[in-house]
Amino acid sequence: MSKIYGSASAAEPQNPAGPQPDSIMLTLDELKPGERARIKTCLGQGRVFQRLCEMGVVEGARVRLVRLAPLGDPVHIELQDYHLSLRKSEARMIEVMRLEPGANGDGA
Amino acid sequence: MAETLSSGSLTSTVVLIGNPNSGKTTVFNRLTGLRQKVGNYPGVTVERKEGRLTLAGRDVVLIDLPGTYSLSAYSPDEMITVDVLLGNLDHGRPPDLVIQVADASNLERNLYLLSQVRELGVPIVLVLTMLDVAGRRGLSVDCELLSERLGVPVVGVHGQKGTGFELLGEVLASELAREPLADDDSATRTAVSIDDALHRGVDALHREIAAEFERVRRRRLHPFEVLRAVIDRGGHAENRLTEALSPKLTERLSRFRDELRGREHDEALPGIETRRRYAWVRERLGPCLRSEPRESTTTWSDRLDAVLTHRVLGLLLFAVIMVVVFQSIFTWALPLMDWIDGLFSYLKGLVASALSAGALRSLIVDGVIGGVGMVIIFLPQILILFLFIGILEDCGYMARAAFMMDRIMSACGLSGKSFIPMLSGFACAIPGVMAARVIEDRRDRLATILVTPLMSCSARLPVYSILIAGFIPKRQVFGFIGLPALTLFGLYALGVVTAVAVAWTLRKSLLKGPKLPFVLELPSYKWPVLSTVLLRLVDRAKAFLLRAGTIILAVSVVVWALSYFPHSASISEHYDQLRDQALVELTGPGLEERLKERTAQIDKLEKGEFLRDSYFGTIGHAVAPVFEPLGWDWRVSMAAIASFPAREILVSVLSTTFNLGEVDDEQGARLLRDTLKEARRPDGSLLITIPVALSVMVFFALCCQCAATLATIKRETNSWRWPVFTFVYMTALAYVAAWITYQVGSRLG
């Protein structure tokens, strides 16, 4: 398993309010519909991992779980400004930090 | 490199690239209009789409590459994009210009691709689409600043309205007229730095192997290919280098990756690459984007999704939409098909009266015109299905359909995107097979293509209806379900169940392989653009007519030959005698009527005997023993074999064999039914009993008797292997299933 550890790149967005005290680390598939989060790390390897990273699953990216498909799988997520369908097995590979409702993660 | 044609004008090559759903196709269509054509790249299933335009007196060939998020490549299909951009397919002549189309409402992700394309050394023009969508989200883009910070011209366009294209044309013309910069230098000067050790190693490796590679493959090796070989572990770039140079390269690359990995973090190279590139994108893009705070973040696209992918309502609406699509096909296509049938009968009549009887006339009327008719008759279904698919896809609903169906489909070893192609198979497998093109994963796509013909298509219906009406007793079962309806449903269900079983088996054996991540973008809903949909429709129809059409025509001529020859003189003499006799015998009132009747009858008998005597008949007799265990006699066997090129032929072959001539209408169908019911074998027993009828229908349900479908499979997979495989496996399945049906059926009595 590979992990992305904290990076010191100045161009990556830092949460201006510092680490959120009430946010919990969980995987993307564990979010409830409507909940927002910030991506922490992307686990996994191989093609799946690479594809997810290329699509913008990088640390700091804003994500929201929109809903589950009628049959339970896949999940519909909103990543940054666009929408993706991800199988639960793929969503399980993404570690996120849940954000409290009202804090959508950036100043806007 | 610009080529000078003999006429003295210059031709430039421009390549179009961009994310899926970025509006790239609309830009392509706007630039090239109807001057488009589709071909194939050798060895892959990716289509080569190219168009022409004229810019400031310059001829431009515009090549449309498949939508992609990144230049990483794990399969030959994915590598095509890199190859075209580097000019690997054109003797090392890279294109003169690259146009990247980017969705302004999603710039970060779209520019990831740009960060890679920049490193290939080809001049770029960035075209921004969907600025209005961005605007509605409160995002505004400073194109001028962006152009400065990226070092490429940036032009905003509106695909649907057509604004910005004049400016784009000017920019393109001026970029093409510019002197090419020294390539390699500018690329490395501004490439995104991923990891210093990585770049040093890649450069060193490139220096080492470039000469050897050039000797073996006769083309230059670009450093970007080496970069991909290192980062994309087990990817296509690596395979290519290993194949060309030495298997030891794999180990060397492995060691290099381990070295890099152990250095700082325990992070895989792809992860580092994406992190660095996105950092670069954000840094460049940041000052150019302004976002205004908005009250609510729900767009109307979100609201639509809440309904259309709702747990209950979503599925319901989906079912309704599917029913509407299919009902329309039957209501609209059938009349059109009848009309085409009529047209071709008329043509046949014209030609028949113009030529004198003989092999040539029969060849032209039955072989050629009949063959062309057989191709054209598919057009209404193909066009209507593709119209619907095009509209659903363009408005964004198709992705939602795949989203909702994925759970079921992946349980069968397929993908969510397989649903629509397979469903289309219930009308006609051909558009279904063609629609499978959207499935990214090569193995999923192949599995879908190979099982779609199992869906009981509309051509099987005439066979089902005649046999069910003739032989299935109209009893009720379970109190209210009629046996005929149950049988029909059973046949359809058989197709579906078999398809699922075959797909699952294929995925576990022949097509075994890791599943590609099912990461599917759900684009914002939008009004479908009619011109895009229509252009795609025309393109598909052309593809079908040219590729599949030629094969079908060839097959139909062969079938004609087999059913016409030897056309022995002794038979025609015999029946001519009967005709003369009729002329002599019939006298008295109503002469004309009775003469016409008698002649028609004699014609039918003659036709029947010609057919039974033909090579097809001989084949029928020869293979009869093979089909004996299925309960078929030689006449049924012959008809089944004759319908291999096209199922619908069964009905007319059967009716001709039994001296009934052509079946043109309800009355003819009923006549055929009754004749078949009464027909007996030489030993007196009934020719067709319930078990026999069932075994014929089961055979038809599972057998691939459609040259048109096989031809389409060949075109979509770009190889003969798969149509042959489809034919073989389906025929084998059909035989076994029909055998079981007959044996069990006759025991049950």
Side-chain angles (χ1 to χ4, degrees):
Chain A
M1 294 275 224
S2 62
K3 285 177 174 230
I4 302 179
Y5 289 91
S7 106
S9 169
E12 290 176 31
Q14 304 290 323
N15 190 328
Q20 302 284 4
D22 287 353
S23 46
I24 314 164
M25 290 277 287
L26 64 168
T27 53
L28 186 56
D29 66 309
E30 290 171 330
L31 284 178
K32 301 271 184 314
E35 291 190 322
R36 293 174 190 274
R38 269 209 187 269
I39 295 186
K40 195 81 187 68
T41 73
C42 185
L43 310 162
Q45 49 193 338
R47 195 74 186 95
V48 184
F49 167 70
Q50 187 170 11
R51 173 49 66 88
L52 287 175
C53 293
E54 286 169 349
M55 296 282 279
V57 177
V58 282
E59 179 177 358
R62 303 181 321 261
V63 70
R64 169 173 76 104
L65 190 96
V66 180
R67 64 177 60 84
L68 302 178
L71 299 172
D73 200 1
V75 302
H76 174 174
I77 67 170
E78 190 179 353
L79 176 65
Q80 301 282 69
D81 292 311
Y82 67 100
H83 297 252
L84 277 186
S85 154
L86 226 57
R87 291 204 175 118
K88 268 190 175 152
S89 55
E90 292 147 4
R92 206 164 295 139
M93 295 191 343
I94 305 172
E95 270 184 10
V96 301
M97 209 167 58
R98 185 193 281 139
L99 295 168
E100 292 309 299
N104 61 6
D106 50 36
Chain B
M1 225 123 306
E3 274 174 58
T4 311
L5 297 178
S6 52
S7 66
S9 66
L10 296 165
T11 308
S12 303
T13 312
V14 177
V15 168
L16 194 60
I17 195 175
N19 280 184
N21 304 308
S22 58
K24 180 169 63 70
T25 308
T26 315
V27 170
F28 182 78
N29 288 342
R30 278 268 169 204
L31 288 173
T32 60
L34 286 171
R35 300 170 70 192
Q36 298 180 12
K37 79 166 191 247
V38 172
N40 260 110
Y41 291 109
V44 294
T45 57
V46 175
E47 275 187 330
R48 182 194 166 88
K49 193 160 155 209
E50 127 183 350
R52 294 192 172 251
L53 65 153
T54 319
L55 285 171
R58 186 187 283 262
D59 278 326
V60 175
V61 170
L62 185 63
I63 300 179
D64 187 15
L65 288 174
T68 184
Y69 299 105
S70 143
L71 293 183
S72 62
Y74 283 80
S75 68
D77 279 6
E78 289 177 311
M79 198 71 191
I80 281 291
T81 301
V82 178
D83 284 337
V84 172
L85 289 169
L86 290 176
N88 290 343
L89 299 176
D90 195 18
H91 311 288
R93 278 199 301 255
D96 298 301
L97 187 67
V98 173
I99 303 176
Q100 177 168 351
V101 176
D103 174 358
S105 61
N106 262 316
L107 265 181
E108 239 186 65
R109 192 196 69 208
N110 275 256
L111 291 185
Y112 179 88
L113 180 61
L114 183 69
S115 78
Q116 293 176 325
V117 176
R118 288 170 72 244
E119 292 171 16
L120 302 178
V122 187
I124 306 177
V125 169
L126 185 64
V127 174
L128 294 186
T129 56
M130 308 196 195
L131 286 157
D132 51 337
V133 176
R136 282 200 288 273
R137 292 199 196 151
L139 284 168
S140 62
V141 183
D142 186 343
C143 295
E144 266 182 44
L145 184 59
L146 187 61
S147 171
E148 240 181 74
R149 292 179 72 78
L150 290 178
V152 299
V154 175
V155 181
V157 301
H158 192 293
Q160 266 119 299
K161 290 202 205 122
T163 51
F165 281 91
E166 234 186 82
L167 175 61
L168 177 60
E170 283 168 25
V171 171
L172 290 176
S174 81
E175 286 300 305
L176 284 171
R178 258 215 245 161
E179 282 299 310
L181 304 160
D183 35 16
D184 286 282
D185 236 16
S186 63
T188 39
R189 222 187 307 138
T190 52
V192 174
S193 166
I194 300 173
D195 179 285
D196 291 333
L198 170 66
H199 292 298
R200 279 199 302 270
V202 166
D203 286 339
L205 186 57
H206 177 255
R207 273 197 300 272
E208 214 186 289
I209 62 177
E212 173 75 11
F213 187 86
E214 196 168 336
R215 198 180 56 81
V216 175
R217 289 284 183 250
R218 297 176 190 287
R219 65 161 177 87
R220 289 259 302 273
L221 179 69
H222 196 281
F224 191 77
E225 292 179 70
V226 180
L227 181 70
R228 292 286 25 121
V230 175
I231 299 183
D232 302 336
R233 185 161 61 119
H236 196 70
E238 176 181 351
N239 292 344
R240 262 218 268 202
L241 288 183
T242 319
E243 268 173 34
L245 299 169
S246 144
K248 292 207 215 98
L249 200 58
T250 315
E251 211 198 291
R252 171 121 174 241
L253 286 170
S254 235
R255 266 184 289 131
F256 186 31
R257 290 186 198 108
D258 287 336
E259 270 172 41
L260 290 169
R261 188 195 189 97
R263 290 172 53 74
E264 282 181 35
H265 323 285
D266 180 27
E267 188 181 0
L269 279 174
I272 307 180
E273 180 189 19
T274 52
R275 192 160 49 80
R276 292 273 201 237
R277 289 191 187 280
Y278 268 110
W280 178 85
V281 168
R282 284 184 192 138
E283 191 268 322
R284 295 279 93 192
L285 186 57
C288 313
L289 272 185
R290 221 171 355 173
S291 138
E292 259 144 43
R294 288 169 293 144
E295 279 300 313
S296 129
T297 51
T298 333
T299 60
W300 63 275
S301 194
D302 292 331
R303 279 188 279 249
L304 260 180
D305 262 334
V307 174
L308 291 174
T309 52
H310 183 268
R311 248 213 333 230
V312 175
L313 206 51
L315 283 177
L316 219 63
L317 284 173
F318 178 65
V320 167
I321 294 178
M322 291 297 115
V323 167
V324 166
V325 170
F326 279 87
Q327 193 47 53
S328 317
I329 294 178
F330 286 116
T331 10
W332 295 347
L334 287 183
L336 280 173
M337 287 163 83
D338 284 338
W339 182 83
I340 293 177
D341 227 357
L343 176 67
F344 274 83
S345 301
Y346 174 71
L347 274 174
K348 282 186 183 179
L350 265 187
V351 176
S353 50
L355 294 174
S356 52
L360 182 65
R361 180 172 85 172
S362 185
L363 169 65
I364 296 189
V365 170
D366 295 319
V368 176
I369 299 185
V372 173
M374 224 165 52
V375 177
I376 307 276
I377 204 122
F378 282 109
L379 271 185
Q381 290 191 52
I382 293 182
L383 290 177
I384 296 178
L385 256 173
F386 268 108
L387 182 66
F388 277 112
I389 291 179
I391 292 178
L392 289 177
E393 184 142 8
D394 215 44
C395 74
Y397 184 73
M398 205 58 109
R400 272 78 181 174
F403 171 66
M404 290 191 282
M405 289 295 114
D406 184 57
R407 177 98 188 259
I408 305 180
M409 294 279 108
S410 48
C412 309
L414 298 162
S415 118
K417 287 181 167 184
S418 309
F419 188 79
I420 300 279
M422 285 176 69
L423 195 61
S424 308
F426 278 116
C428 178
I430 293 167
V433 168
M434 289 169 91
R437 174 186 298 266
V438 297
I439 302 174
E440 245 189 58
D441 186 326
R442 196 185 131 257
R443 292 191 191 90
D444 278 343
R445 192 190 324 141
L446 209 44
T448 309
I449 290 178
L450 294 176
V451 303
T452 296
L454 282 168
M455 301 292 157
S456 281
C457 69
S458 52
R460 289 172 170 98
L461 273 177
V463 177
Y464 291 168
S465 68
I466 285 203
L467 289 175
I468 290 181
F471 298 94
I472 305 291
K474 292 180 185 30
R475 281 207 308 265
Q476 306 278 58
V477 123
F478 302 136
F480 64 98
I481 310 176
L483 215 48
L486 193 61
T487 315
L488 188 61
F489 177 74
L491 289 165
Y492 274 87
L494 180 64
V496 175
V497 168
T498 315
V500 167
V502 172
W504 192 85
T505 315
L506 279 177
R507 269 319 230 124
K508 289 267 181 292
S509 56
L510 269 190
L511 298 178
K512 187 159 56 174
K515 272 195 155 302
L516 248 204
F518 184 69
V519 183
L520 172 69
E521 188 178 350
L522 300 170
S524 307
Y525 287 105
K526 68 176 180 45
W527 288 110
V529 178
L530 200 59
S531 56
T532 313
V533 175
L534 287 179
L535 270 171
R536 190 185 296 132
L537 200 60
V538 167
D539 167 58
R540 294 270 149 258
K542 270 205 300 205
F544 169 70
L545 284 176
L546 290 177
R547 301 306 172 90
T550 42
I551 298 188
I552 299 168
L553 187 57
V555 169
S556 112
V557 169
V558 168
V559 168
W560 166 82
L562 287 175
S563 56
Y564 182 83
F565 294 110
H567 210 83
S568 14
S570 56
I571 298 182
S572 39
E573 270 167 28
H574 170 77
Y575 284 95
D576 281 339
Q577 250 179 21
L578 287 180
R579 287 192 191 94
D580 293 335
Q581 244 184 325
L583 280 173
V584 167
E585 276 177 15
L586 295 175
T587 53
L591 175 62
E592 283 240 11
E593 264 302 313
R594 283 155 56 210
L595 191 57
K596 224 169 58 176
E597 227 181 277
R598 175 78 78 89
T599 323
Q601 209 176 18
I602 295 178
D603 283 343
K604 286 186 194 154
L605 287 170
E606 182 183 26
K607 260 197 165 132
E609 189 152 346
F610 270 137
L611 183 61
R612 291 191 295 274
D613 186 59
S614 72
Y615 288 127
F616 250 133
T618 320
I619 297 176
H621 277 287
V623 301
V626 175
F627 290 107
E628 209 52 56
L630 272 57
W632 303 357
D633 88 328
W634 73 273
R635 281 170 288 182
V636 178
S637 309
M638 177 184 83
I641 304 258
S643 46
F644 266 52
R647 301 182 174 90
E648 310 89 279
I649 295 185
L650 177 81
V651 172
S652 57
V653 169
L654 268 182
S655 99
T656 309
T657 313
F658 285 94
N659 299 329
L660 300 173
E662 290 287 318
V663 172
D664 295 324
D665 51 17
E666 260 309 298
Q667 204 189 31
R670 222 173 307 140
L671 189 56
L672 177 62
R673 225 165 50 210
D674 296 332
T675 314
L676 288 174
K677 263 161 109 163
E678 302 298 309
R680 294 191 179 270
R681 294 166 186 267
D683 65 5
S685 63
L686 271 180
L687 177 64
I688 302 189
T689 59
I690 298 183
V692 176
L694 281 175
S695 89
V696 173
M697 289 192 285
V698 164
F699 188 85
F700 266 70
L702 300 181
C703 190
C704 187
Q705 291 157 301
C706 187
T709 305
L710 292 173
T712 311
I713 294 182
K714 185 234 167 225
R715 190 188 173 270
E716 290 298 315
T717 57
N718 211 11
S719 120
W720 281 106
R721 188 184 352 157
W722 294 114
V724 168
F725 175 77
T726 308
F727 181 74
V728 168
Y729 98 78
M730 283 180 78
T731 311
L733 270 180
Y735 185 88
V736 169
W739 178 78
I740 295 179
T741 312
Y742 178 69
Q743 296 295 337
V744 169
S746 35
R747 303 237 187 301
L748 290 179

